[in-house]
PDB file of all heavy atoms in Angstrom:
ATOM      1  N   PHE A  81      61.244  83.195 207.165  1.00  0.00           N
ATOM      2  CA  PHE A  81      60.071  82.379 207.489  1.00  0.00           C
ATOM      3  C   PHE A  81      58.785  83.122 207.138  1.00  0.00           C
ATOM      4  O   PHE A  81      57.788  83.015 207.846  1.00  0.00           O
ATOM      5  CB  PHE A  81      60.071  82.009 208.979  1.00  0.00           C
ATOM      6  CG  PHE A  81      61.006  80.869 209.332  1.00  0.00           C
ATOM      7  CD1 PHE A  81      62.295  81.122 209.771  1.00  0.00           C
ATOM      8  CD2 PHE A  81      60.587  79.547 209.230  1.00  0.00           C
ATOM      9  CE1 PHE A  81      63.167  80.079 210.110  1.00  0.00           C
ATOM     10  CE2 PHE A  81      61.442  78.499 209.562  1.00  0.00           C
ATOM     11  CZ  PHE A  81      62.733  78.771 209.996  1.00  0.00           C
ATOM     12  N   GLY A  82      58.806  83.884 206.041  1.00  0.00           N
ATOM     13  CA  GLY A  82      57.621  84.634 205.645  1.00  0.00           C
ATOM     14  C   GLY A  82      56.479  83.734 205.191  1.00  0.00           C
ATOM     15  O   GLY A  82      56.666  82.533 204.954  1.00  0.00           O
ATOM     16  N   GLU A  83      55.308  84.353 205.076  1.00  0.00           N
ATOM     17  CA  GLU A  83      54.132  83.627 204.577  1.00  0.00           C
ATOM     18  C   GLU A  83      54.450  83.009 203.212  1.00  0.00           C
ATOM     19  O   GLU A  83      55.117  83.639 202.380  1.00  0.00           O
ATOM     20  CB  GLU A  83      52.942  84.581 204.421  1.00  0.00           C
ATOM     21  CG  GLU A  83      52.345  85.073 205.719  1.00  0.00           C
ATOM     22  CD  GLU A  83      51.673  83.970 206.534  1.00  0.00           C
ATOM     23  OE1 GLU A  83      51.230  82.968 205.940  1.00  0.00           O
ATOM     24  OE2 GLU A  83      51.615  84.109 207.774  1.00  0.00           O
ATOM     25  N   GLY A  84      53.992  81.794 203.011  1.00  0.00           N
ATOM     26  CA  GLY A  84      54.169  81.150 201.710  1.00  0.00           C
ATOM     27  C   GLY A  84      55.483  80.402 201.568  1.00  0.00           C
ATOM     28  O   GLY A  84      55.774  79.849 200.514  1.00  0.00           O
ATOM     29  N   THR A  85      56.272  80.402 202.645  1.00  0.00           N
ATOM     30  CA  THR A  85      57.550  79.682 202.575  1.00  0.00           C
ATOM     31  C   THR A  85      57.486  78.351 203.326  1.00  0.00           C
ATOM     32  O   THR A  85      58.501  77.789 203.715  1.00  0.00           O
ATOM     33  CB  THR A  85      58.728  80.535 203.123  1.00  0.00           C
ATOM     34  OG1 THR A  85      58.522  80.776 204.521  1.00  0.00           O
ATOM     35  CG2 THR A  85      58.845  81.857 202.392  1.00  0.00           C
ATOM     36  N   ASP A  86      56.259  77.868 203.507  1.00  0.00           N
ATOM     37  CA  ASP A  86      56.078  76.546 204.143  1.00  0.00           C
ATOM     38  C   ASP A  86      56.397  75.428 203.159  1.00  0.00           C
ATOM     39  O   ASP A  86      56.631  74.291 203.562  1.00  0.00           O
ATOM     40  CB  ASP A  86      54.648  76.409 204.690  1.00  0.00           C
ATOM     41  CG  ASP A  86      53.604  76.657 203.615  1.00  0.00           C
ATOM     42  OD1 ASP A  86      53.827  77.547 202.758  1.00  0.00           O
ATOM     43  OD2 ASP A  86      52.571  75.962 203.625  1.00  0.00           O
ATOM     44  N   LYS A  87      56.397  75.749 201.874  1.00  0.00           N
ATOM     45  CA  LYS A  87      56.823  74.774 200.873  1.00  0.00           C
ATOM     46  C   LYS A  87      57.517  75.469 199.703  1.00  0.00           C
ATOM     47  O   LYS A  87      57.482  76.693 199.607  1.00  0.00           O
ATOM     48  CB  LYS A  87      55.657  73.908 200.403  1.00  0.00           C
ATOM     49  CG  LYS A  87      54.381  74.629 200.019  1.00  0.00           C
ATOM     50  CD  LYS A  87      53.361  73.603 199.587  1.00  0.00           C
ATOM     51  CE  LYS A  87      51.921  74.067 199.581  1.00  0.00           C
ATOM     52  NZ  LYS A  87      51.425  74.768 200.742  1.00  0.00           N
ATOM     53  N   GLY A  88      58.151  74.650 198.847  1.00  0.00           N
ATOM     54  CA  GLY A  88      58.889  75.233 197.721  1.00  0.00           C
ATOM     55  C   GLY A  88      60.267  74.606 197.605  1.00  0.00           C
ATOM     56  O   GLY A  88      60.949  74.738 196.594  1.00  0.00           O
ATOM     57  N   ALA A  89      60.664  73.932 198.679  1.00  0.00           N
ATOM     58  CA  ALA A  89      61.921  73.173 198.729  1.00  0.00           C
ATOM     59  C   ALA A  89      61.779  72.238 199.929  1.00  0.00           C
ATOM     60  O   ALA A  89      60.940  72.475 200.799  1.00  0.00           O
ATOM     61  CB  ALA A  89      63.110  74.105 198.907  1.00  0.00           C
ATOM     62  N   PRO A  90      62.567  71.150 199.972  1.00  0.00           N
ATOM     63  CA  PRO A  90      62.460  70.252 201.132  1.00  0.00           C
ATOM     64  C   PRO A  90      62.654  71.031 202.436  1.00  0.00           C
ATOM     65  O   PRO A  90      63.615  71.799 202.559  1.00  0.00           O
ATOM     66  CB  PRO A  90      63.604  69.263 200.911  1.00  0.00           C
ATOM     67  CG  PRO A  90      63.818  69.269 199.427  1.00  0.00           C
ATOM     68  CD  PRO A  90      63.552  70.686 199.000  1.00  0.00           C
ATOM     69  N   THR A  91      61.731  70.879 203.370  1.00  0.00           N
ATOM     70  CA  THR A  91      61.812  71.603 204.640  1.00  0.00           C
ATOM     71  C   THR A  91      61.151  70.804 205.756  1.00  0.00           C
ATOM     72  O   THR A  91      60.177  70.086 205.514  1.00  0.00           O
ATOM     73  CB  THR A  91      61.134  72.993 204.525  1.00  0.00           C
ATOM     74  OG1 THR A  91      61.108  73.602 205.816  1.00  0.00           O
ATOM     75  CG2 THR A  91      59.717  72.921 203.982  1.00  0.00           C
ATOM     76  N   LYS A  92      61.710  70.923 206.941  1.00  0.00           N
ATOM     77  CA  LYS A  92      61.116  70.290 208.117  1.00  0.00           C
ATOM     78  C   LYS A  92      60.242  71.274 208.895  1.00  0.00           C
ATOM     79  O   LYS A  92      59.751  70.956 209.975  1.00  0.00           O
ATOM     80  CB  LYS A  92      62.219  69.749 209.032  1.00  0.00           C
ATOM     81  CG  LYS A  92      63.010  68.596 208.434  1.00  0.00           C
ATOM     82  CD  LYS A  92      64.111  68.157 209.407  1.00  0.00           C
ATOM     83  CE  LYS A  92      65.053  67.166 208.725  1.00  0.00           C
ATOM     84  NZ  LYS A  92      66.323  67.027 209.481  1.00  0.00           N
ATOM     85  N   ALA A  93      60.103  72.461 208.367  1.00  0.00           N
ATOM     86  CA  ALA A  93      59.301  73.486 209.052  1.00  0.00           C
ATOM     87  C   ALA A  93      57.845  73.044 209.118  1.00  0.00           C
ATOM     88  O   ALA A  93      57.232  72.715 208.101  1.00  0.00           O
ATOM     89  CB  ALA A  93      59.419  74.810 208.310  1.00  0.00           C
ATOM     90  N   LYS A  94      57.282  73.032 210.329  1.00  0.00           N
ATOM     91  CA  LYS A  94      55.877  72.633 210.500  1.00  0.00           C
ATOM     92  C   LYS A  94      54.948  73.813 210.220  1.00  0.00           C
ATOM     93  O   LYS A  94      55.311  74.973 210.443  1.00  0.00           O
ATOM     94  CB  LYS A  94      55.642  72.180 211.939  1.00  0.00           C
ATOM     95  CG  LYS A  94      56.133  70.786 212.272  1.00  0.00           C
ATOM     96  CD  LYS A  94      55.590  70.413 213.657  1.00  0.00           C
ATOM     97  CE  LYS A  94      56.115  69.089 214.152  1.00  0.00           C
ATOM     98  NZ  LYS A  94      55.688  68.857 215.551  1.00  0.00           N
ATOM     99  N   ALA A  95      53.712  73.476 209.812  1.00  0.00           N
ATOM    100  CA  ALA A  95      52.698  74.514 209.539  1.00  0.00           C
ATOM    101  C   ALA A  95      52.448  75.375 210.776  1.00  0.00           C
ATOM    102  O   ALA A  95      52.067  76.548 210.658  1.00  0.00           O
ATOM    103  CB  ALA A  95      51.402  73.854 209.088  1.00  0.00           C
ATOM    104  N   GLU A  96      52.689  74.819 211.949  1.00  0.00           N
ATOM    105  CA  GLU A  96      52.466  75.547 213.211  1.00  0.00           C
ATOM    106  C   GLU A  96      53.295  76.827 213.301  1.00  0.00           C
ATOM    107  O   GLU A  96      52.946  77.739 214.052  1.00  0.00           O
ATOM    108  CB  GLU A  96      52.783  74.648 214.414  1.00  0.00           C
ATOM    109  CG  GLU A  96      51.708  73.631 214.757  1.00  0.00           C
ATOM    110  CD  GLU A  96      51.689  72.426 213.812  1.00  0.00           C
ATOM    111  OE1 GLU A  96      52.587  72.303 212.939  1.00  0.00           O
ATOM    112  OE2 GLU A  96      50.756  71.610 213.949  1.00  0.00           O
ATOM    113  N   ILE A  97      54.400  76.877 212.565  1.00  0.00           N
ATOM    114  CA  ILE A  97      55.215  78.109 212.586  1.00  0.00           C
ATOM    115  C   ILE A  97      54.358  79.292 212.168  1.00  0.00           C
ATOM    116  O   ILE A  97      54.421  80.364 212.776  1.00  0.00           O
ATOM    117  CB  ILE A  97      56.435  77.982 211.643  1.00  0.00           C
ATOM    118  CG1 ILE A  97      57.432  76.973 212.220  1.00  0.00           C
ATOM    119  CG2 ILE A  97      57.092  79.342 211.387  1.00  0.00           C
ATOM    120  CD1 ILE A  97      58.559  76.582 211.277  1.00  0.00           C
ATOM    121  N   TRP A  98      53.522  79.089 211.147  1.00  0.00           N
ATOM    122  CA  TRP A  98      52.724  80.193 210.612  1.00  0.00           C
ATOM    123  C   TRP A  98      51.386  80.329 211.330  1.00  0.00           C
ATOM    124  O   TRP A  98      50.811  81.406 211.323  1.00  0.00           O
ATOM    125  CB  TRP A  98      52.569  80.031 209.097  1.00  0.00           C
ATOM    126  CG  TRP A  98      53.907  80.218 208.437  1.00  0.00           C
ATOM    127  CD1 TRP A  98      54.468  81.410 208.067  1.00  0.00           C
ATOM    128  CD2 TRP A  98      54.885  79.202 208.124  1.00  0.00           C
ATOM    129  NE1 TRP A  98      55.733  81.193 207.548  1.00  0.00           N
ATOM    130  CE2 TRP A  98      56.012  79.865 207.562  1.00  0.00           C
ATOM    131  CE3 TRP A  98      54.922  77.815 208.271  1.00  0.00           C
ATOM    132  CZ2 TRP A  98      57.162  79.170 207.146  1.00  0.00           C
ATOM    133  CZ3 TRP A  98      56.065  77.128 207.853  1.00  0.00           C
ATOM    134  CH2 TRP A  98      57.161  77.803 207.294  1.00  0.00           C
ATOM    135  N   SER A  99      50.911  79.252 211.951  1.00  0.00           N
ATOM    136  CA  SER A  99      49.645  79.380 212.681  1.00  0.00           C
ATOM    137  C   SER A  99      49.892  79.823 214.123  1.00  0.00           C
ATOM    138  O   SER A  99      48.966  80.215 214.821  1.00  0.00           O
ATOM    139  CB  SER A  99      48.858  78.060 212.642  1.00  0.00           C
ATOM    140  OG  SER A  99      49.576  77.029 213.296  1.00  0.00           O
ATOM    141  N   ASN A 100      51.125  79.766 214.568  1.00  0.00           N
ATOM    142  CA  ASN A 100      51.461  80.179 215.936  1.00  0.00           C
ATOM    143  C   ASN A 100      52.753  81.001 215.908  1.00  0.00           C
ATOM    144  O   ASN A 100      53.721  80.694 216.597  1.00  0.00           O
ATOM    145  CB  ASN A 100      51.617  78.940 216.822  1.00  0.00           C
ATOM    146  CG  ASN A 100      51.455  79.266 218.282  1.00  0.00           C
ATOM    147  OD1 ASN A 100      51.420  80.438 218.666  1.00  0.00           O
ATOM    148  ND2 ASN A 100      51.363  78.238 219.112  1.00  0.00           N
ATOM    149  N   LYS A 101      52.726  82.034 215.082  1.00  0.00           N
ATOM    150  CA  LYS A 101      53.929  82.824 214.830  1.00  0.00           C
ATOM    151  C   LYS A 101      54.450  83.504 216.096  1.00  0.00           C
ATOM    152  O   LYS A 101      55.662  83.661 216.265  1.00  0.00           O
ATOM    153  CB  LYS A 101      53.622  83.870 213.747  1.00  0.00           C
ATOM    154  CG  LYS A 101      54.819  84.349 212.918  1.00  0.00           C
ATOM    155  CD  LYS A 101      55.504  83.237 212.159  1.00  0.00           C
ATOM    156  CE  LYS A 101      56.859  83.598 211.595  1.00  0.00           C
ATOM    157  NZ  LYS A 101      56.873  84.330 210.344  1.00  0.00           N
ATOM    158  N   ALA A 102      53.545  83.886 216.989  1.00  0.00           N
ATOM    159  CA  ALA A 102      53.973  84.583 218.217  1.00  0.00           C
ATOM    160  C   ALA A 102      54.867  83.680 219.058  1.00  0.00           C
ATOM    161  O   ALA A 102      55.900  84.118 219.569  1.00  0.00           O
ATOM    162  CB  ALA A 102      52.755  85.044 219.011  1.00  0.00           C
ATOM    163  N   LYS A 103      54.451  82.440 219.186  1.00  0.00           N
ATOM    164  CA  LYS A 103      55.246  81.499 219.973  1.00  0.00           C
ATOM    165  C   LYS A 103      56.579  81.200 219.277  1.00  0.00           C
ATOM    166  O   LYS A 103      57.635  81.131 219.912  1.00  0.00           O
ATOM    167  CB  LYS A 103      54.447  80.200 220.172  1.00  0.00           C
ATOM    168  CG  LYS A 103      55.049  79.268 221.190  1.00  0.00           C
ATOM    169  CD  LYS A 103      54.096  78.102 221.470  1.00  0.00           C
ATOM    170  CE  LYS A 103      54.747  77.048 222.324  1.00  0.00           C
ATOM    171  NZ  LYS A 103      53.918  75.830 222.424  1.00  0.00           N
ATOM    172  N   PHE A 104      56.500  81.037 217.967  1.00  0.00           N
ATOM    173  CA  PHE A 104      57.712  80.784 217.184  1.00  0.00           C
ATOM    174  C   PHE A 104      58.705  81.940 217.344  1.00  0.00           C
ATOM    175  O   PHE A 104      59.901  81.729 217.606  1.00  0.00           O
ATOM    176  CB  PHE A 104      57.337  80.603 215.703  1.00  0.00           C
ATOM    177  CG  PHE A 104      58.507  80.321 214.802  1.00  0.00           C
ATOM    178  CD1 PHE A 104      59.132  79.078 214.815  1.00  0.00           C
ATOM    179  CD2 PHE A 104      58.982  81.294 213.932  1.00  0.00           C
ATOM    180  CE1 PHE A 104      60.215  78.814 213.982  1.00  0.00           C
ATOM    181  CE2 PHE A 104      60.064  81.038 213.093  1.00  0.00           C
ATOM    182  CZ  PHE A 104      60.682  79.796 213.125  1.00  0.00           C
ATOM    183  N   ASN A 105      58.189  83.165 217.216  1.00  0.00           N
ATOM    184  CA  ASN A 105      59.058  84.338 217.365  1.00  0.00           C
ATOM    185  C   ASN A 105      59.645  84.422 218.768  1.00  0.00           C
ATOM    186  O   ASN A 105      60.802  84.810 218.948  1.00  0.00           O
ATOM    187  CB  ASN A 105      58.277  85.618 217.054  1.00  0.00           C
ATOM    188  CG  ASN A 105      57.946  85.742 215.576  1.00  0.00           C
ATOM    189  OD1 ASN A 105      58.553  85.090 214.733  1.00  0.00           O
ATOM    190  ND2 ASN A 105      56.968  86.568 215.263  1.00  0.00           N
ATOM    191  N   ASP A 106      58.842  84.047 219.750  1.00  0.00           N
ATOM    192  CA  ASP A 106      59.307  84.053 221.138  1.00  0.00           C
ATOM    193  C   ASP A 106      60.478  83.072 221.307  1.00  0.00           C
ATOM    194  O   ASP A 106      61.510  83.414 221.886  1.00  0.00           O
ATOM    195  CB  ASP A 106      58.127  83.677 222.050  1.00  0.00           C
ATOM    196  CG  ASP A 106      58.529  83.669 223.508  1.00  0.00           C
ATOM    197  OD1 ASP A 106      59.152  84.649 223.950  1.00  0.00           O
ATOM    198  OD2 ASP A 106      58.223  82.674 224.206  1.00  0.00           O
ATOM    199  N   TYR A 107      60.328  81.883 220.765  1.00  0.00           N
ATOM    200  CA  TYR A 107      61.408  80.887 220.848  1.00  0.00           C
ATOM    201  C   TYR A 107      62.654  81.371 220.098  1.00  0.00           C
ATOM    202  O   TYR A 107      63.779  81.160 220.549  1.00  0.00           O
ATOM    203  CB  TYR A 107      60.952  79.546 220.276  1.00  0.00           C
ATOM    204  CG  TYR A 107      59.989  78.759 221.152  1.00  0.00           C
ATOM    205  CD1 TYR A 107      59.350  77.636 220.660  1.00  0.00           C
ATOM    206  CD2 TYR A 107      59.739  79.140 222.471  1.00  0.00           C
ATOM    207  CE1 TYR A 107      58.474  76.893 221.451  1.00  0.00           C
ATOM    208  CE2 TYR A 107      58.871  78.411 223.265  1.00  0.00           C
ATOM    209  CZ  TYR A 107      58.232  77.290 222.744  1.00  0.00           C
ATOM    210  OH  TYR A 107      57.385  76.567 223.522  1.00  0.00           O
ATOM    211  N   ALA A 108      62.407  81.993 218.953  1.00  0.00           N
ATOM    212  CA  ALA A 108      63.529  82.498 218.149  1.00  0.00           C
ATOM    213  C   ALA A 108      64.298  83.566 218.932  1.00  0.00           C
ATOM    214  O   ALA A 108      65.535  83.592 218.935  1.00  0.00           O
ATOM    215  CB  ALA A 108      63.017  83.065 216.827  1.00  0.00           C
ATOM    216  N   GLU A 109      63.551  84.428 219.621  1.00  0.00           N
ATOM    217  CA  GLU A 109      64.202  85.482 220.414  1.00  0.00           C
ATOM    218  C   GLU A 109      64.956  84.900 221.601  1.00  0.00           C
ATOM    219  O   GLU A 109      66.049  85.358 221.942  1.00  0.00           O
ATOM    220  CB  GLU A 109      63.157  86.484 220.907  1.00  0.00           C
ATOM    221  CG  GLU A 109      62.936  87.596 219.910  1.00  0.00           C
ATOM    222  CD  GLU A 109      61.828  88.553 220.322  1.00  0.00           C
ATOM    223  OE1 GLU A 109      61.663  88.789 221.537  1.00  0.00           O
ATOM    224  OE2 GLU A 109      61.138  89.034 219.416  1.00  0.00           O
ATOM    225  N   LYS A 110      64.343  83.896 222.230  1.00  0.00           N
ATOM    226  CA  LYS A 110      65.019  83.269 223.370  1.00  0.00           C
ATOM    227  C   LYS A 110      66.344  82.640 222.926  1.00  0.00           C
ATOM    228  O   LYS A 110      67.360  82.756 223.607  1.00  0.00           O
ATOM    229  CB  LYS A 110      64.113  82.223 224.013  1.00  0.00           C
ATOM    230  CG  LYS A 110      62.966  82.863 224.783  1.00  0.00           C
ATOM    231  CD  LYS A 110      62.403  81.964 225.870  1.00  0.00           C
ATOM    232  CE  LYS A 110      61.423  82.746 226.742  1.00  0.00           C
ATOM    233  NZ  LYS A 110      60.027  82.310 226.592  1.00  0.00           N
ATOM    234  N   MET A 111      66.312  81.959 221.796  1.00  0.00           N
ATOM    235  CA  MET A 111      67.539  81.340 221.292  1.00  0.00           C
ATOM    236  C   MET A 111      68.614  82.393 221.043  1.00  0.00           C
ATOM    237  O   MET A 111      69.782  82.216 221.415  1.00  0.00           O
ATOM    238  CB  MET A 111      67.220  80.544 220.026  1.00  0.00           C
ATOM    239  CG  MET A 111      68.379  79.713 219.504  1.00  0.00           C
ATOM    240  SD  MET A 111      69.545  80.658 218.537  1.00  0.00           S
ATOM    241  CE  MET A 111      68.704  80.684 216.963  1.00  0.00           C
ATOM    242  N   GLN A 112      68.213  83.516 220.444  1.00  0.00           N
ATOM    243  CA  GLN A 112      69.193  84.577 220.186  1.00  0.00           C
ATOM    244  C   GLN A 112      69.755  85.125 221.493  1.00  0.00           C
ATOM    245  O   GLN A 112      70.945  85.453 221.582  1.00  0.00           O
ATOM    246  CB  GLN A 112      68.551  85.696 219.370  1.00  0.00           C
ATOM    247  CG  GLN A 112      68.236  85.262 217.949  1.00  0.00           C
ATOM    248  CD  GLN A 112      67.387  86.280 217.215  1.00  0.00           C
ATOM    249  OE1 GLN A 112      67.884  87.303 216.754  1.00  0.00           O
ATOM    250  NE2 GLN A 112      66.101  86.018 217.106  1.00  0.00           N
ATOM    251  N   GLY A 113      68.906  85.199 222.506  1.00  0.00           N
ATOM    252  CA  GLY A 113      69.370  85.649 223.820  1.00  0.00           C
ATOM    253  C   GLY A 113      70.398  84.693 224.407  1.00  0.00           C
ATOM    254  O   GLY A 113      71.431  85.120 224.945  1.00  0.00           O
ATOM    255  N   GLU A 114      70.116  83.402 224.272  1.00  0.00           N
ATOM    256  CA  GLU A 114      71.060  82.396 224.799  1.00  0.00           C
ATOM    257  C   GLU A 114      72.368  82.417 224.008  1.00  0.00           C
ATOM    258  O   GLU A 114      73.437  82.189 224.563  1.00  0.00           O
ATOM    259  CB  GLU A 114      70.443  80.996 224.758  1.00  0.00           C
ATOM    260  CG  GLU A 114      69.194  80.807 225.624  1.00  0.00           C
ATOM    261  CD  GLU A 114      69.428  81.093 227.101  1.00  0.00           C
ATOM    262  OE1 GLU A 114      70.584  81.209 227.551  1.00  0.00           O
ATOM    263  OE2 GLU A 114      68.418  81.214 227.821  1.00  0.00           O
TER     264      GLU A 114
END
Side-chain angles (χ1 to χ4, degrees):
F81 281 94
E83 289 293 334
T85 65
D86 55 323
K87 48 180 162 312
T91 174
K92 293 178 189 164
K94 282 190 185 173
E96 282 77 6
I97 290 170
W98 293 275
S99 63
N100 201 349
K101 206 60 194 279
K103 191 172 172 189
F104 181 73
N105 290 342
D106 180 49
Y107 286 170
E109 271 176 34
K110 288 204 171 112
M111 187 279 279
Q112 291 170 78
E114 297 301 347

